Amino acid sequence: MTTAAPAGTAAEELIRTLPQSFRWGVATSAYQIEGAAFEDGRTASIWDTYCRTPDMVHAGDHGDVACDHYHRMPEDVELIGSLGVDTYRFSVSWPRVQPGGAGPVNAKGIGFYDRLVDELLAKDVDPWVTLYHWDLPQELEDAGGWPVRETAYRFADYAMLVFDKLQDRVRDWTTLNEPWCSAMLGYYVGRQAPGRQNFADAIHAVHHLLLGHGLATQRMRAAANPGHEFGITLNLGTATPASDSIEDREAARRADGLGARLYLDPLLRGRYPADIVTDLADRGIELPVQDGDLEIISAPIEVLGVNFYSGHVYSGRDEQGNTRDAQGNPIDRQIPQGKPVTAMGWEIVPERFTELLVRLGRDYPGVPMVITENGSAFADVPDADGFVEDTERTDYFRQHIAAVAAAREQGADIRGYFAWSLMDNFEWAYGYDKRFGIVRVDYETQRRTPKRSALWYRDTIRQVRSGS
Ligand code: FCB
């Protein structure tokens, strides 16, 4: 059993147990903020295409302009500096840097990130690069996308273009953001680009994403100056059985297996989880592993990035009590825990965050963790000046950062925390309808206004750093 983090003042006290060396950051991703979708040689990614497919994205929203960060980058870096964070996690747009996903680097595209890195360093903020946050060049999807092995090699080539240009100033490198989302939401559920719906394709995508991570890490490390840190970011939650029944326990096992262990085990133990391999075989699906792949995938990393938003309870029965769906597959149904929810409908369960982190530290020891994303969407109401008194979001941060501190006290090696997100942005299929920012963006004027949560975050960082 793990001990949950308390709320209120007790949470603030717990947060102050974090070490002065703890890293504090804010995070974004390219397609969600940059805009300038077809400028300076950038070509379409699967998200440009998906957004133009009717009924896929809320209100037909797209990232053509987004937060116009491409044109407002120096002011945005100024803003980041004013929050007192030491790290800015951003992603690089593959089709901006390598239009069409093949060939040489696009000087204008990489030039943008080159300037961004310099601006950050001038403000004493460390750049933390994510190489892939879901924007696959459309041409690579047309050639088969992540279900095809070749895409992994293309990713490693692209990674090297970015690495060659920025490694002299960037120490922290994340290969992929949330491969579960790329594979499962993109190729099975269809709620993210490219919007395909084929389970076998999704499973093939899992392996090729992980292979791409391994190949890119291997090549970057071979070319790296000393001191670089490489890693991958996974979206992880918890899977708790709704009851002690065998069906519910099996449902939780499958959810944890497909959601977490299918990534953690090959990356950190060099093998796919046997129970999930068997489950897949029952469905006639095999992971497309070739000789040597698992050595590549499990090459050591310096950091595991953890993104956490919620944890879930699973039942092995549908509402009618069936244990199998129409296709004969077992049911894994998430059931509500009766907790308050965010605007996404995600239950607020900071105690599950502690549980997850303690478990990761226990089951996968030896890899330091950084929380590369955590945050919440709420229906913000700005005052006449655009200021948002976002009490609920602030509470969410307070409880979840305390949950991190609680996990550290219970032995988990967590080195940093990055708030999702620096500013309101294009929330994928939810378009601009859902706001996760600690800074409000008025999309009409592109005005940025720090919310209460941003001020709280800044003050909290200051307190922890000063040890007061
Ligand atoms: C994560 C994504 C991030 C953002 C948050 C809310 O899954 O990595 O881009 O959409 O969810």
Side-chain angles (χ1 to χ4, degrees), residues 357-358 360-362 365-366 369 404-414:
L357 295 169
V358 172
L360 291 172
R362 187 192 59 221
M369 293 178 266
V404 171
R408 277 181 55 97
E409 290 200 330
Q410 293 166 70
D413 183 4
I414 306 150

Side-chain angles (χ1 to χ4, degrees), residues 380-383 386-390 393 440 449-453:
D380 292 337
V381 184
D383 69 14
F387 183 76
V388 181
E389 193 65 63
D390 57 341
R393 187 177 290 102
R440 179 172 178 85
T449 312
K451 305 177 192 177
R452 174 66 64 202
S453 54

